[in-house]
């Protein structure tokens, strides 16, 4: 029953995307069924009767021409459906499904992407949904055709030879049980290899992505990666072999049962009654044989269609599970929508650990950030700085404690409205295959004013002169993903482009998570100076492993192993002569040595 609901669920989506497709499928099915039943039940018998009764040849020709015309109409419907309707509606259906997947992907918790089980479900949903959707349409159309045909052929059999129906029903039940085993074997094979396919897809992906090209050529890292690929491929092969044999045996057995029913059972009874008992004329014999064989074929097809619907329903379940996933981070649709302006952030006893982790990444963090204050988060890699930044923006919910905006728990705010307060650059920022202007504003450009906004942001980040030298300037496409003339920017240039995003966004709080790691210390300091100037009146939270930039902050927090070990202004921490002061002096000495060299 669940699988039937899954198929109906997909049909509703298809109807909402392309009702024209379903209507044409129904029209084509009805035309095809009508032609098939006319030929099987009436046309051949009519020709035989005409010959037996020696009717005029012209009457036979008229009937043949009429049947031919009906075949042409049916064929035209089928061709129009396959060559015109299907290609057009496939695009609409695919767009609808991808919209559903992408919208849900934006809703799910960020932690889901660190969960292999979720990733397997997500992978199966992406892999199967498009092919399964077209299969569902085809199978449902075929099922309707079978049902209509069964009504016609079943009526003929009941009229002339009702005794053969038990043979057909018993055969159908046996084949159905075997087909169910066949479907289970196919699904199990697919399910048990999803992890291996994901590993193999990972290898395929890194081979053609530019991000990995240099490392793959300059190191031997591809050897262990390729080994993983071959191990996954071999594991997938063994599973496919095991369950493929089972599926093959079940399929052969079901074919044998069906064939025995038709040739030894049904046709034997009909021929015996014709030859020995003389119960039929030759014309009736033709109709009964055709109807019985067609009915048996319909029953076999019905079992096959039911098995396919069942199989499709099992795979669509992954898609439904993904779409119906309820995020653990509860968003309030009627939550408070904060306005741009001065805001105060406070963390009270905040602790956080990732799902399945045995110890927290952050422990008992207490922090108060006043409106317009400049905050530096410093510390060694793995200290918890980036995780803390994600908690600020509610990309994760705290495990213990609370984060307050203007004295109100951030869970009480509308999530999207709350996140709009932040202009952010992460250390793993991305450059998109879009124009420079769209990469700065991260949205489509609607007017000249927005172009000027992007231009000013590029000037403030120090990359505008470089952009201006490109053909088409700010309208030039970046990356060569879709445009062979696209521009590939260096690491430092890309970071300046990403920094321009913060300058361009009208946000109340700017978060800079090591945005200048690819720049030299002097360029980094200049960038941060420009940021502080551009972000006057805004709250700024920046993460940096270079402590020279921390001198620009009103308050510095030194994190170590997920805890705040020191806090204060740069001057206060230097006077304490603790860990911060030691780290700062060590870095300063290193830079002096580099400058001397």
């Amino acid at each position: 029953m669940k699988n039937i609901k899954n198929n109906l669920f997909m049909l509703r989506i298809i109807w909402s995307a392309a009702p024209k497709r379903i209507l044409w499928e129904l029209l084509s099915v009805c035309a095809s069924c009508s032609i098939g039943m006319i030929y099987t039940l009436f046309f051949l018998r009519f020709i035989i009767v005409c010959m037996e009764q020696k009717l005029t040849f012209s009457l036979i020709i008229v009937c043949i021409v009429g049947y031919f015309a009906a075949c042409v109409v049916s064929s035209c419907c089928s061709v129009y459906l396959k060559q015109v309707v299907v290609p057009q509606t496939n695009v609409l259906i695919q767009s609808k499904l991808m919209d559903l997947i992408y919208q849900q992907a934006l809703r799910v918790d960020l932690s889901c992407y660190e969960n292999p089980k979720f990733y397997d479900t997500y992978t199966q949903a992406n892999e199967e949904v498009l092919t399964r959707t077209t299969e569902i349409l085809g199978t449902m159309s075929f099922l309707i055709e079978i049902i209509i045909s069964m009504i016609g052929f079943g009526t003929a059999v009941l009229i002339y030879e009702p005794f053969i129906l038990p043979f057909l029903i018993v055969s159908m039940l046996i084949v159905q049980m075997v087909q169910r085993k066949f479907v289970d074997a196919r699904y199990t094979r697919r399910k048990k290899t999803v992890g291996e396919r994901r590993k193999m897809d990972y290898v395929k992906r890194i081979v053609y992505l530019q991000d990995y090209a240099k490392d793959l050529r300059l190191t031997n890292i591809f050897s262990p990666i390729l080994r993983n690929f071959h191990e996954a491929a071999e594991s997938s092969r063994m599973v496919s072999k095991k369950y493929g044999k089972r599926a093959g045996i079940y399929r052969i057995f079901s074919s044998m049962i069906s064939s025995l029913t038709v040739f030894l059972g049904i046709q034997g009874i009909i021929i015996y009654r014709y030859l020995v008992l003389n119960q039929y004329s030759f014309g009736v014999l033709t109709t009964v044989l055709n109807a019985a064989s067609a009915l048996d074929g319909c029953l076999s097809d019905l079992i096959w269609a039911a098995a396919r619907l069942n199989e499709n329903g099992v795979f669509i379940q992954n898609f439904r599970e993904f779409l119906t996933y309820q995020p653990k981070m509860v968003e309030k649709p009627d939550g408070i929508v904060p306005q741009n302006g001065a805001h105060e952030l406070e963390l009270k006893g905040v602790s956080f650990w990732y799902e399945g982790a045995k110890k927290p990444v952050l422990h008992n963090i207490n922090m108060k950030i006043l409106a317009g204050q400049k905050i530096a988060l410093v510390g060694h890699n793995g200290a918890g700085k980036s995780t803390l930044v994600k908690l600020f923006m509610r990309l994760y919910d705290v495990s213990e404690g609370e984060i307050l905006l203007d004295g109100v728990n951030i869970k009480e705010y509308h999530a999207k409205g709350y996140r709009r307060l932040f202009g952010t650059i992460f250390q793993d920022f991305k450059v998109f295959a879009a124009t420079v202007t769209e990469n700065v504003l991260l949205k489509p450009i609607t007017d000249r004013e927005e172009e000027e906004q992007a231009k000013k942001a590029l000037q403030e980040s120090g990359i505008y002169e470089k952009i201006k030298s490109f053909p088409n300037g700010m309208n030039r496409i970046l990356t060569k993903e879709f445009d062979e003339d696209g521009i590939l920017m260096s690491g430092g240039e890309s970071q300046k482009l990403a920094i321009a995003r913060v300058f361009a966004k009208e946000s109340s709080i700017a978060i800079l998570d090591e945005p200048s790691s690819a720049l030299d210390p002097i360029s980094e300091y200049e960038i941060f100076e420009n940021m502080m100037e551009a972000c006057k009146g805004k709250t700024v939270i920046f993460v940096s492993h270079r402590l020279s930039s921390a001198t620009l902050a009103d308050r510095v927090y030194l994190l170590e192993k997920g805890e705040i070990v020191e806090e204060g202004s740069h001057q206060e921490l230097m006077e304490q002569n603790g860990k911060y002061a030691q780290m700062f002096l060590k870095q300063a000495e290193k830079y002096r040595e580099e400058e001397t060299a």
Side-chain angles (χ1 to χ4, degrees), residues 523-593:
S523 297
E524 179 189 59
Y525 188 82
E526 291 174 351
I527 284 288
F528 273 109
E529 274 194 319
N530 290 341
M531 283 184 179
M532 297 307 168
E533 182 66 26
C535 295
K536 276 185 177 178
K538 291 184 180 183
T539 302
V540 179
I541 303 168
F542 62 90
V543 177
S544 179
H545 65 281
R546 290 175 180 155
L547 301 187
S548 57
S549 55
T551 60
L552 300 170
D554 300 319
R555 197 160 189 81
V556 181
Y557 292 89
L558 175 62
L559 280 79
E560 192 173 277
K561 295 180 180 179
E563 297 184 359
I564 296 174
V565 293
E566 291 183 11
E567 62 176 288
S569 66
H570 169 74
Q571 190 62 38
E572 290 170 351
L573 293 177
M574 292 301 293
E575 290 173 359
Q576 288 180 21
N577 198 28
K579 292 184 177 181
Y580 175 85
Q582 294 172 14
M583 290 172 62
F584 185 87
L585 293 173
K586 190 173 183 179
Q587 284 190 7
E589 182 180 350
K590 178 185 175 184
Y591 294 147
R592 282 196 294 269
E593 289 174 355

Side-chain angles (χ1 to χ4, degrees), residues 481-519:
E481 188 77 24
F482 306 120
D483 188 345
E484 61 181 18
D485 295 323
I487 297 296
L488 297 176
M489 305 182 77
S490 68
E493 291 167 348
S494 297
Q495 285 192 315
K496 288 181 179 181
L497 177 73
I499 289 166
R501 294 169 180 170
V502 174
F503 291 142
K505 187 172 181 180
E506 297 178 358
S507 55
S508 302
I509 304 170
I511 293 185
L512 317 170
D513 186 2
E514 300 209 60
S516 51
S517 59
L519 304 178

Side-chain angles (χ1 to χ4, degrees), residues 172-218:
M172 182 183 71
L173 292 175
I174 295 173
V175 173
Q176 184 180 18
M177 288 188 292
V178 177
Q179 283 290 89
R180 189 174 298 167
K181 295 286 187 181
F182 170 76
V183 170
D184 290 343
R186 278 171 54 98
Y187 176 72
T188 304
R189 178 179 62 184
R190 190 76 178 172
K191 184 178 180 180
K192 286 183 176 292
T193 57
V194 66
E196 280 70 22
R197 293 199 308 277
R198 189 156 56 83
K199 291 177 186 176
M200 293 163 69
D201 287 341
Y202 169 76
V203 179
K204 295 175 189 175
R205 191 166 65 250
I206 68 169
V207 167
Y208 71 77
L209 284 180
Q210 179 196 354
D211 298 357
Y212 304 94
K214 293 188 289 293
D215 288 325
L216 292 179
R217 284 157 178 77
L218 297 175

